[in-house]
Amino acid sequence: MKIKLFLFIVISTFISHAQEVSMPEKVNFYGGFESNSQWYLNDKGLNVVHPETPLRANSYLFTNLKYKDWIAGVQAESYEDQALLNFNPRYDKTDVATYFLQFKNEKIDLTAGYFYEQFGSGLLYRSWEDRALGINNSLRGGRVIFKPTAYFTLKSIYGRQRTGFDISKSEIYGVDTEIVLSDIFKMKSSELLFGVTYVGREEIVETIANPNFNSLTNGYAARIDFSHKGFYFSTEFNYKSNDAIIEVIDQIANDFIKPGNALLMNAGYSKKGFGIDASFRRLENMGFFSERIAKGNAFNDRIMNFVPSLTKQHHYNLANIYVYQAQPNVLLGDETLLKTGEIGGQLDLFYNFKKNSFFGGKYGSKLAINLSNWHALAGTFYLPKKDYSTEFLSFGKKYFSDYNIEFTKKWNSKLQTVFTYINQYYDKKLIEETDGLVKTNILGAEATYKFNDSQSIRVVGEHMWADYDRKNWVASTLEFNLNSKLSFFTADMYNYGNDDPEARNHYYNLGGAFRQKSTRIALSYGRQRGGLVCVGGVCRFVPESSGVSLSLNTTF
């Protein structure tokens, strides 16, 4: 185990210097190495005891070789002695994780091995990698992309999905076509695109002798994208055929079979200094996994589609305590806990005040307003029979809302400030399936002062008023960029309003980062608040912990 880790580091160090070795003409060699390690410590203040294996690391080494129209690549991964806390336990030890061989020119793209792909918005199928969330659901098999003309693209995929260092038991098929109608009809000032998708998942469930559902689950989708000058509009409808519902983790219901569907719409308009964007989405029973039994797992493992929360991705720490997670699944718990999906949307408005105006001042200012609102689907529910019928455009109980306004003001060539107000509504019982309703008001203020082109300081202050759960918080952050290579930070979140005096904890962190060309090293010490960590609207849960973190990232 130790030898594997040592060899992994030695090989990655050797390869990181391989670009210094001359390569044959037209042969390109490139890749990268990333390692995120944590030394967990005991923390009496948080009542945290470090795990049996306190020193852990997630490391990734990927290399690619390109020659003319051919590309070959391999990625090795190491989780020694174990993966970071609350990562998928299927990520274990050190091994080759993915590999591929690709041939690509202007008209044809052929891939064998592991690959990533997305059809449309991803509501029916998307494979991607996000190391911070522990997601890598690439497909091992084959992909063909055929583009005979500039206005027509045909994609086809087949394979089995990655899960840890293994693959899932099911087979996944897919076809996607996209036609740029505006090119065909030679529209000069408009763009019109039409696409259709098919995705099939073939999984034989051996634990059920006579299943009431087919082994093959079919998914279909159609989409339209249109834009004209500053206006744009897109819509996509997805349908998933009858399939077994998973209400209890690791249990497939043979008497609860329902189809699923999703509707997504987006429209907006933008011009210089002004923009408005509106999104609407309705999901019903749209959890889609390569193995049915994976639904409800805490690691986004074996997930086939991409269902992010459509809310503002806040950069304030306190605004990310009660963060919304999309609700595509079905749960008929009791009269107070009925979920078959979600319906709602968000609205974004941007406006730049002109320079030398009353609000703009000499250097101008910006206003951003975001409103998001999400509800359960309304309908009729039959608890004894485990069945339901929904109303397509009716709103049920409220899950979540986030109304926020942000004002950015540049005072001179060196100083810029940002003031933010956020109002949130978070139903813990419906979203987390626990208990309680939380309403918050958050104020945030930050100032950035640039001493010169490479040296700056940033100060952030935040306060949250919450009427339930852990109640009020206060937070602050200080960042200092010494130059283009070296930066430092310190931050603290204090739960001073907790009803339990012993739980009024500080979650402090301090550290720094160093950059040299394409290499970045970061070191920090502090506490991790337990809760959700989200990237791009997709989340994973992390436990409370305390310790030292080291991150290394380099490309070559």
Side-chain angles (χ1 to χ4, degrees):
M1 182 164 50
K2 299 290 187 183
I3 295 175
K4 276 188 176 182
L5 180 59
F6 175 75
L7 289 175
F8 188 85
I9 295 173
V10 170
I11 292 171
S12 65
T13 304
F14 170 78
I15 292 178
S16 68
H17 293 88
Q19 67 269 32
E20 298 175 4
V21 180
S22 61
M23 301 292 289
E25 188 179 357
K26 296 183 179 179
V27 175
N28 294 320
F29 179 77
Y30 58 95
F33 175 71
E34 178 181 336
S35 181
N36 301 298
S37 57
Q38 179 94 25
W39 180 21
Y40 296 97
L41 302 172
N42 293 329
D43 192 322
K44 293 182 179 179
L46 296 181
N47 294 317
V48 168
V49 178
H50 69 69
E52 292 183 3
T53 306
L55 180 58
R56 303 183 176 203
N58 296 1
S59 302
Y60 312 85
L61 170 66
F62 65 96
T63 59
N64 295 307
L65 187 68
K66 186 178 187 301
Y67 176 69
K68 294 184 178 180
D69 294 333
W70 292 88
I71 305 174
V74 62
Q75 177 165 300
E77 297 177 9
S78 175
Y79 304 92
E80 299 281 4
D81 286 341
Q82 294 183 27
L84 299 178
L85 282 181
N86 213 50
F87 267 76
N88 190 343
R90 293 172 183 246
Y91 292 126
D92 187 37
K93 310 309 178 188
T94 300
D95 210 337
V96 172
T98 62
Y99 47 83
F100 72 93
L101 178 64
Q102 182 181 26
F103 174 83
K104 183 179 181 181
N105 58 30
E106 292 181 356
K107 293 188 176 182
I108 193 83
D109 183 344
L110 305 174
T111 304
Y114 287 88
F115 59 89
Y116 305 97
E117 188 53 77
Q118 176 172 324
F119 294 160
S121 68
L123 280 174
L124 202 56
Y125 180 77
R126 184 194 187 196
S127 55
W128 79 104
E129 180 183 33
D130 193 307
R131 295 168 183 172
L133 298 177
I135 296 176
N136 189 319
N137 59 350
S138 56
L139 215 59
R140 192 181 79 179
R143 179 186 62 182
V144 178
I145 302 177
F146 182 48
K147 194 177 179 67
T149 68
Y151 56 80
F152 179 78
T153 303
L154 173 66
K155 300 178 182 179
S156 61
I157 61 172
Y158 166 79
R160 296 191 172 189
Q161 192 180 51
R162 180 186 172 186
T163 171
F165 286 118
D166 204 348
I167 54 173
S168 65
K169 297 177 181 178
S170 68
E171 296 177 289
I172 296 173
Y173 319 83
V175 177
D176 182 83
T177 60
E178 194 168 88
I179 303 173
V180 184
L181 297 174
S182 53
D183 286 354
I184 296 176
F185 298 108
K186 298 181 180 179
M187 300 178 183
K188 294 184 178 180
S189 60
S190 302
E191 182 171 324
L192 178 62
L193 180 149
F194 175 71
V196 293
T197 296
Y198 166 78
V199 175
R201 177 203 60 196
E202 178 83 32
E203 184 200 11
I204 298 174
V205 179
E206 298 177 350
T207 56
I208 299 177
N210 298 299
N212 293 323
F213 52 90
N214 296 326
S215 60
L216 177 61
T217 305
N218 297 303
Y220 309 92
R223 62 187 181 274
I224 296 175
D225 294 335
F226 174 75
S227 63
H228 177 72
K229 296 182 179 180
F231 172 77
Y232 56 90
F233 170 80
S234 65
T235 184
E236 178 178 309
F237 182 76
N238 300 261
Y239 175 80
K240 186 181 70 166
S241 64
N242 277 331
D243 199 15
I245 299 292
I246 308 293
E247 278 201 298
V248 180
I249 295 177
D250 295 336
Q251 293 185 22
I252 299 176
N254 196 32
D255 57 351
F256 195 5
I257 316 297
K258 300 290 285 187
N261 61 78
L263 173 65
L264 175 65
M265 303 177 70
N266 177 250
Y269 175 79
S270 65
K271 65 177 185 179
K272 185 177 180 180
F274 173 78
I276 185 170
D277 181 271
S279 297
F280 170 83
R281 187 174 70 189
R282 181 191 187 276
L283 301 176
E284 179 179 337
N285 187 26
M286 275 303 291
F288 207 8
F289 294 81
S290 58
E291 294 178 9
R292 295 173 176 87
I293 205 168
K295 184 182 292 185
N297 79 87
F299 310 107
N300 293 299
D301 185 36
R302 289 161 283 173
I303 189 170
M304 287 175 54
N305 57 347
F306 180 59
V307 189
S309 60
L310 297 183
T311 60
K312 185 177 179 65
Q313 308 301 301
H314 292 289
H315 65 276
Y316 289 105
N317 290 323
L318 300 185
N320 285 294
I321 292 179
Y322 301 107
V323 58
Y324 182 65
Q325 312 129 68
Q327 303 290 310
N329 298 319
V330 174
L331 176 61
L332 304 186
D334 55 44
E335 294 293 344
T336 64
L337 187 56
L338 302 171
K339 299 194 294 184
T340 59
E342 68 174 20
I343 185 170
Q346 70 170 330
L347 175 71
D348 280 296
L349 177 67
F350 307 93
Y351 185 78
N352 293 345
F353 294 97
K354 294 181 179 180
K355 295 180 181 180
N356 299 315
S357 65
F358 179 78
F359 288 104
K362 182 179 179 180
Y363 292 88
S365 56
K366 302 177 182 180
L367 179 69
I369 298 173
N370 172 270
L371 311 172
S372 60
N373 206 316
W374 294 95
H375 290 249
L377 298 177
T380 304
F381 304 91
Y382 311 95
L383 293 181
K385 294 171 53 180
K386 287 293 182 181
D387 197 9
Y388 64 87
S389 62
T390 60
E391 301 170 19
F392 194 76
L393 292 178
S394 294
F395 289 68
K397 289 185 178 180
K398 185 176 178 179
Y399 287 134
F400 176 85
S401 66
D402 186 329
Y403 310 137
N404 55 83
I405 183 170
E406 181 178 280
F407 184 73
T408 303
K409 172 72 174 178
K410 188 173 182 180
W411 297 93
N412 53 48
S413 60
K414 296 181 179 294
L415 178 63
Q416 176 177 286
T417 58
V418 182
F419 298 96
T420 303
Y421 167 71
I422 305 167
N423 174 274
Q424 294 175 324
Y425 175 105
Y426 186 89
D427 193 321
K428 285 175 64 70
K429 182 174 180 63
L430 287 175
I431 297 173
E432 300 180 7
E433 299 161 21
T434 53
D435 182 60
L437 171 65
V438 185
K439 298 177 183 178
T440 73
N441 289 282
I442 303 170
L443 287 179
E446 59 184 283
T448 302
Y449 186 84
K450 292 185 177 182
F451 299 98
N452 50 53
D453 290 341
S454 61
Q455 194 174 67
S456 65
I457 188 170
R458 177 173 174 261
V459 181
V460 182
E462 311 168 45
H463 189 279
M464 173 197 283
W465 293 268
D467 64 354
Y468 186 72
D469 197 30
R470 300 170 77 172
K471 299 291 184 69
N472 295 356
W473 292 73
V474 64
S476 62
T477 302
L478 175 64
E479 299 174 354
F480 179 60
N481 294 306
L482 184 63
N483 50 48
S484 59
K485 295 182 178 180
L486 189 61
S487 62
F488 301 96
F489 80 93
T490 179
D492 186 27
M493 299 169 57
Y494 179 37
N495 184 204
Y496 77 92
N498 201 306
D499 289 338
D500 180 2
E502 295 186 0
R504 294 172 184 170
N505 295 313
H506 284 271
Y507 295 88
Y508 49 81
N509 280 276
L510 56 94
F514 175 77
R515 293 179 182 271
Q516 178 64 37
K517 295 182 179 179
S518 61
T519 299
R520 181 181 184 272
I521 302 174
L523 179 68
S524 64
Y525 165 76
R527 290 171 164 178
Q528 169 68 58
R529 175 188 61 82
L532 292 172
V533 170
C534 304
V535 178
V538 180
C539 307
R540 77 175 179 93
F541 178 81
V542 296
E544 294 206 337
S545 62
S546 183
V548 179
S549 299
L550 176 65
S551 174
L552 169 63
N553 198 317
T554 186
T555 58
F556 48 85

